Amino acid sequence: MKMRTIFGYSLLVGMLLVSASCSKFLEEEPKNSTFVSEFWQSSGDVNSGLAGAYALLRAAITSGNGGAGRHFMYGDGIAGHYFTIQYTGDGLEGIQTGDFTFQYNIESFGDWTQYYKVITMSNLLLERVSEMDESLLNDQDNPAEFVNDVMGQAYFIRALAYFFLTRTWGDVPLVLNTSNDPINEEFLGRSPKSEIMAQIEMDCFAAAELLDWGYTDVTKAKVTANKGSVYALLAHLYLWRATTTDVTSDMPIMDDVDKAQDAITQLKNSGGYRLVDTASYYSTFVGQSSDGIFELAASEKNLEGSNSHIGMFFLRQANISYNSATYSRFYVNPTYLSTHFSKEYWGWGWVWSDTANEWQWIDHAASVGETVYNDEYPDGIVVTAAMLIDGSDVRYRRNFTDLSLDQPTCIKYHEVNYRSTNSAYLGNNLIIFRYSDMLLLEAEIALYKNQVADAVGIINAFRTRNGSNAVLSTDITKDEAMYEYMIERGKELYLEGHLFYDLLRTRQYPQFITWLSDSRFRQQGFYWPAAPALFMNNLNMTQTSYWVGRI
């Protein structure tokens, strides 16, 4: 990758996005290295650069084919089990069959340039702010503290961008500095994912040393990085590294599993996070709740809402006046609802006992297709999926509507605001990490340590607080508990960009993803191919191994 590609765009977008209108920005001429040296002259310049980094990060995760944000397509849509993408001509639905080669998909989702804009702006901040004379920051009460905070956020943003990159492509170029002469910078090839993850870890360590747990400005809480954001990223990094470093093995690297637990323990001990009462369920997804750890600002209070938020692809006329009453581009897969919100149906009947060599009349948990007998159905009735829905779970009741239709609707994100009659914007923040996620990860860690009862206790705690009747028995097997763990994450973290990666880590993908065979998984066929445009004039660039000869 030629550095000028990622440097030029980042410099322009990051620095000017927050200080000029859209029309003025588009009229700007490219700035050379002289401009760079003249820019970093005040704390205002630094804050503009930092705001630009966050803006670039938001632009990166929300970009994609057809306006569908890559963060949600990589993390949820690709699995196919959770929601269905309807065809409209751009081939977006192709990713749900495991075919990543559709032209528009590979040109957008296969292109990592957006993330490198974020990384280059982070590199600029790290280099320029560290070099600034303290006298230029005399409007700050504590210039050294100001510098530490900005540097810590820059390290975190760079680490997060690389984490997104390596989860999506595995091996990617490693860029850790900028240049006053980027045009002559050497072309870069892909660095091994082990090096990328090691760099993420080092950046997180650096960020943790520089950042505090709290916020001096409450308006920046959750939507800018703090020490909690760093430990949440570390927890995910360690579990990803523990389970995907060697995909030929299903045994996690226990040292990394232990490190993930340590990161979560640090976060819990901070005392700064707590679960949101279910009576205020939607507040978590509007943003800046006690459950939030790190999220990207999309509140319409400051006209930061989005008309291409993942939630907009689901909402119908009941939420957006000019949308169709019956059609949405994305809809909830009914199979997701029946598998995730099911409960045991208890009845009684005659069951053959091999031990007693006779028919016995017993109470038992029925399954779909079984005939049960009870006071309500004395003549017997065949159990159907509809009878087994756990409708008491608050996540079922609050997140989904149109349940009598073949295409149910997700309303998890529905903070709709109008700028004009036909201009709706969604004001829900983009949730990256939250406390509920961390608590559930502890169940996964417990299962890797063969502590099944502990994992079941965590899962049951989530189900009980959310009103679910599907409480687990403590004597289930580890494999059964891991499946139920994925079911629970599927309920709690629906449409938050985690679920595909969860399935890969836990090796539960055969239960949910029809296109991902064990053979393809072992060949790392879950990674994305690199877009052909990334190979232009770069002899050092290589294709993702699984996709060699397939693109």
Side-chain angles (χ1 to χ4, degrees), residues 5 157 224 256 277 279 314 353 366 406 450 459 494 499 521:
T5 303
I157 292 169
T224 57
D256 278 333
D277 191 289
F314 289 85
S353 170
D406 293 334
N450 296 313
I459 295 168
Y494 185 80
L499 302 181
F521 175 82

Side-chain angles (χ1 to χ4, degrees), residues 380-398:
I381 187 170
V382 177
V383 176
T384 66
M387 294 171 63
L388 295 172
I389 287 294
D390 184 13
S392 60
D393 193 307
V394 68
R395 296 163 296 188
Y396 179 85
R397 292 187 287 110
R398 297 294 189 90

Side-chain angles (χ1 to χ4, degrees), residues 171-363:
D171 303 342
V172 294
L174 184 61
V175 184
L176 298 177
N177 51 61
T178 58
S179 169
N180 287 329
D181 189 16
I183 293 177
N184 294 318
E185 192 76 30
E186 293 295 323
F187 285 114
L188 297 175
R190 298 170 77 155
S191 296
K193 62 183 181 182
S194 59
E195 291 183 17
I196 303 299
M197 289 188 280
Q199 185 62 48
I200 295 168
E201 184 179 27
M202 287 190 289
D203 280 355
C204 283
F205 287 164
E209 286 292 318
L210 296 167
L211 295 172
D212 294 326
W213 285 104
Y215 295 90
T216 56
D217 183 350
V218 295
T219 65
K220 296 180 180 179
K222 320 294 185 176
V223 296
T224 57
N226 73 343
K227 200 183 292 283
S229 310
V230 176
Y231 281 111
L233 174 54
L234 277 171
H236 271 284
L237 168 69
Y238 287 135
L239 287 178
W240 184 253
R241 190 166 72 180
T243 56
T244 64
T245 294
D246 180 7
V247 296
T248 65
S249 170
D250 291 336
M251 295 298 295
I253 301 170
M254 293 309 299
D255 182 53
D256 278 333
V257 171
D258 289 337
K259 289 178 179 178
Q261 181 61 71
D262 289 344
I264 296 171
T265 299
Q266 290 265 24
L267 195 148
K268 291 171 67 175
N269 288 344
S270 74
Y273 305 97
R274 61 179 175 80
L275 301 178
V276 173
D277 191 289
T278 55
S280 303
Y281 181 76
Y282 290 128
S283 66
T284 297
F285 310 107
V286 173
Q288 295 185 295
S289 74
S290 62
D291 192 27
I293 296 176
F294 180 69
E295 52 202 56
L296 293 172
S299 171
E300 192 61 3
K301 293 177 183 178
N302 299 313
L303 295 181
E304 293 177 317
S306 172
N307 58 6
S308 60
H309 190 292
I310 186 66
M312 295 287 280
F313 288 82
F314 289 85
L315 299 182
R316 297 178 185 164
Q317 195 174 83
N319 294 100
I320 299 178
S321 60
Y322 54 82
N323 278 5
S324 167
T326 57
Y327 176 87
S328 59
R329 181 72 196 278
F330 299 171
Y331 65 86
V332 182
N333 190 330
T335 301
Y336 160 77
L337 295 173
S338 62
T339 55
H340 284 71
F341 294 97
S342 63
K343 62 182 179 181
E344 292 181 330
Y345 189 101
W346 281 89
W348 53 82
W350 290 104
V351 176
W352 178 259
S353 170
D354 291 329
T355 303
N357 197 33
E358 65 179 8
W359 289 94
Q360 295 182 340
W361 184 267
I362 62 171
D363 292 337

Side-chain angles (χ1 to χ4, degrees), residues 435-499:
Y435 193 50
S436 299
D437 171 21
M438 297 296 110
L439 296 182
L440 274 174
L441 287 180
E442 288 194 297
E444 184 176 334
I445 291 168
L447 289 170
Y448 292 144
K449 295 181 177 183
N450 296 313
Q451 299 166 349
V452 178
D454 291 344
V456 169
I458 294 169
I459 295 168
N460 280 343
F462 269 82
R463 294 186 179 183
T464 299
R465 77 177 298 271
N466 286 292
S468 171
N469 291 315
V471 178
L472 301 174
S473 168
T474 56
D475 62 357
I476 62 175
T477 67
K478 178 181 176 179
D479 288 343
E480 290 170 335
M482 189 66 87
Y483 172 80
E484 291 294 340
Y485 166 71
M486 265 312 308
I487 289 292
E488 196 60 27
R489 282 188 72 84
K491 289 190 285 189
E492 183 65 29
L493 301 171
Y494 185 80
L495 281 190
E496 295 184 41
H498 291 288
L499 302 181

Side-chain angles (χ1 to χ4, degrees), residues 2 19 84 122 124 136 139 300 457 460 502:
K2 193 74 168 178
S19 59
T84 299
S122 300
L124 274 171
L136 298 174
D139 61 330
E300 192 61 3
N460 280 343
D502 294 341

